[in-house]
Amino acid sequence: MEHFELATFCIHHAAEMNKALGSSPIQQAAVQSFLGNKMKAITCLVAANDACPALPYLLLLGKTQMKAQKFTDAVNSFRKALTLLCLNKTSLSSDSQAAEILYLTGLCYVAQAQLLQQDKALFLLALDAFSSAVKLNHNYADAYHQRGICRMHLKQPKSLQDFNRALSLHPTHFQAYLSRAALFGAEGRYAKAILNCNEAILIQPYSVRAYLYRGVFKFHMKGYRGAVQDLTMAINIDSTCSFAFYNRGVCYQQLKEYELALKDYSIVLLLASRKEIDLKVLINRGLLYLELNDYHNALQDFKAASGKSPGDATIYHALGVLHHRLGQLQESTEAYTQALRLNPFFLDAYVGRGNASMDYGHGQANKQAQRDFLSALHLNPLCSSARISLGYNLQ
């Protein structure tokens, strides 16, 4: 009986969907978008607009293209909508519609800029679009906020004025408080950044990002205990937030609570996180193991780090140090050599390789060590470690 009822429901539901799909293009597109068929929704709206160009079609088309991350196509749709609006301009409400279209265009440029690794030209286009939007609608808080973000990316002044304006128009604008906090943080004004995070948390008490920001700012003010509390709150809200675990691990490391730091770093590596965070975790955990004289685990972490960043000479230098401390002289000299291939001016790598060579204890190795110390001194005659090591070598 239950199976029959379920089948009846599915047939009825499908019939309703078919009815909807037989209705207006906007309704058809809405249904397809709801079903996750963004490309079908776009095709439907393109066909409708080609048959009879209309502002609602173009606006919905542009928004759907944004959801499908087809930002260039979305910009073209919004341009057509703006042209159509200018041709049919009959009332003051047209200005607010034009402002919204320009705002959406700006969002497309920002999204493209972020995909293309902070492309300056696209941020400038976005800035122009948001500026045009606020000229048409002086009370457009979101446009002021986005313009402030663009100015931050472009390192232009007046970001703060834009955030202030957005908040004067919309006093509970959560994102504007966080953006203003980020601005103050970038300027090293951590106390003001924390105050803005406080306001953001009052608006959204369960925001992971707000607690994460505040924790990081407290860390920069050396308030490690307070930072741990905020980052723990972020983790309680979202137990998969790798940024919170990583930053809390750094705080524990500063507090010399090494076991807790190791635990947080290990959790980050178990979570699906960005490559650059994993790399930082491996380096930090490797240094922590080194501080605890656990050379074997430190070596494993730096080996993993070298796989993620094969062009980093400092990682190979650390491998050289660890192999040397474990008495693995050949591996040590090979790691130092790789560091010098990547950076021929790396003084510590010359000195490290020289010291590892000396430990072989025969004449040929001593001569090789002498050449390394002299190379370091040639690059910097004031390098005390090279001069002291050369003295031991000659002795």
Side-chain angles (χ1 to χ4, degrees):
M1 186 66 182
E2 286 178 5
H3 292 297
F4 175 74
E5 287 175 359
L6 181 61
T8 306
F9 169 77
C10 290
I11 293 165
H12 175 72
H13 189 61
E16 289 297 316
M17 284 292 187
N18 287 333
K19 272 188 196 175
L21 291 171
S23 55
S24 74
I26 287 181
Q27 288 174 314
Q28 290 178 43
V31 169
Q32 293 290 1
S33 185
F34 174 76
L35 293 172
N37 302 325
K38 294 186 181 68
M39 296 312 297
K40 285 185 179 179
I42 289 168
T43 303
C44 175
L45 288 165
V46 167
N49 189 66
D50 287 344
C52 179
L55 190 62
Y57 295 163
L58 286 167
L59 282 175
L60 186 57
L61 174 60
K63 289 175 182 178
T64 309
Q65 286 165 332
M66 284 177 75
K67 287 179 183 175
Q69 295 198 330
K70 293 187 168 295
F71 299 113
T72 303
D73 293 341
V75 168
N76 290 332
S77 296
F78 292 137
R79 280 178 181 163
K80 289 175 184 175
L82 206 56
T83 303
L84 198 63
L85 185 66
C86 291
L87 291 172
N88 300 326
K89 190 171 181 179
T90 55
S91 66
L92 289 172
S93 64
S94 299
D95 284 346
S96 63
Q97 279 187 305
E100 184 193 0
I101 294 167
L102 288 162
Y103 171 74
L104 292 169
T105 304
L107 290 182
C108 289
Y109 287 133
V110 169
Q112 283 179 299
Q114 290 169 342
L115 286 172
L116 296 172
Q117 297 182 335
Q118 312 300 312
D119 187 279
K120 185 179 177 181
L122 287 165
F123 275 122
L124 285 168
L125 289 170
L127 182 69
D128 288 341
F130 294 132
S131 295
S132 299
V134 296
K135 280 178 187 173
L136 291 170
N137 181 357
H138 301 298
N139 299 319
Y140 207 154
D142 287 337
Y144 281 110
H145 171 234
Q146 289 294 335
R147 188 172 72 172
I149 291 173
C150 286
R151 283 175 165 164
M152 275 182 69
H153 283 291
L154 294 166
K155 294 181 172 55
Q156 290 186 1
K158 297 187 179 178
S159 289
L160 183 58
Q161 288 94 318
D162 279 340
F163 296 144
N164 290 344
R165 177 66 176 155
L167 287 165
S168 68
L169 292 167
H170 186 353
T172 58
H173 199 303
F174 170 77
Q175 296 291 350
Y177 276 117
L178 278 191
S179 296
R180 196 165 68 175
L183 176 64
F184 284 134
E187 293 173 350
R189 299 159 74 182
Y190 301 120
K192 286 199 169 186
I194 288 169
L195 289 173
N196 277 270
C197 289
N198 294 345
E199 293 295 332
I201 288 167
L202 287 174
I203 298 164
Q204 290 191 21
Y206 297 101
S207 166
V208 173
R209 203 149 58 97
Y211 283 107
L212 188 59
Y213 278 28
R214 194 170 72 174
V216 170
F217 297 139
K218 285 179 180 178
F219 170 84
H220 283 295
M221 292 184 75
K222 296 185 171 26
Y224 303 125
R225 287 288 173 204
V228 165
Q229 288 175 357
D230 279 339
L231 295 166
T232 301
M233 186 66 182
I235 289 164
N236 290 339
I237 297 167
D238 180 3
S239 59
T240 63
C241 181
S242 56
F243 285 103
F245 279 109
Y246 169 70
N247 284 293
R248 192 174 70 172
V250 173
C251 291
Y252 281 136
Q253 194 166 353
Q254 290 295 324
L255 291 165
K256 300 192 184 302
E257 296 179 7
Y258 296 136
E259 290 302 320
L260 291 171
L262 287 172
K263 183 181 175 183
D264 276 353
Y265 288 149
S266 300
I267 290 170
V268 175
L269 294 173
L270 292 172
L271 294 169
S273 53
R274 294 181 185 176
K275 180 186 171 184
E276 58 269 24
I277 295 180
D278 283 352
L279 178 61
K280 287 179 181 178
V281 167
L282 287 167
I283 291 170
N284 279 16
R285 194 172 71 171
L287 292 170
L288 185 47
Y289 280 131
L290 184 60
E291 196 165 342
L292 295 170
N293 297 322
D294 185 349
Y295 303 132
H296 287 282
N297 277 322
L299 182 64
Q300 296 311 311
D301 277 349
F302 278 106
K303 277 183 177 178
S306 69
K308 290 183 180 294
S309 182
D312 191 333
T314 57
I315 292 174
Y316 284 98
H317 174 264
L319 284 170
V321 171
L322 290 163
H323 281 302
H324 193 183
R325 291 192 184 181
L326 289 166
Q328 300 165 355
L329 299 180
Q330 184 178 344
E331 291 86 347
S332 177
T333 53
E334 286 172 358
Y336 284 128
T337 300
Q338 181 60 22
L340 289 165
R341 283 197 196 101
L342 295 168
N343 180 5
F345 303 100
F346 199 160
L347 296 179
D348 287 342
Y350 282 112
V351 175
R353 188 171 69 176
N355 286 329
S357 297
M358 279 183 68
D359 282 354
Y360 277 103
H362 55 75
Q364 187 180 351
N366 283 341
K367 284 193 176 298
Q368 175 59 48
Q370 193 177 116
R371 283 195 290 270
D372 280 337
F373 300 141
L374 289 170
S375 295
L377 288 168
H378 178 73
L379 291 169
N380 180 9
L382 300 177
C383 180
S384 58
S385 58
R387 195 164 292 282
I388 291 166
S389 296
L390 180 61
Y392 279 121
N393 177 275
L394 294 172
Q395 188 178 20

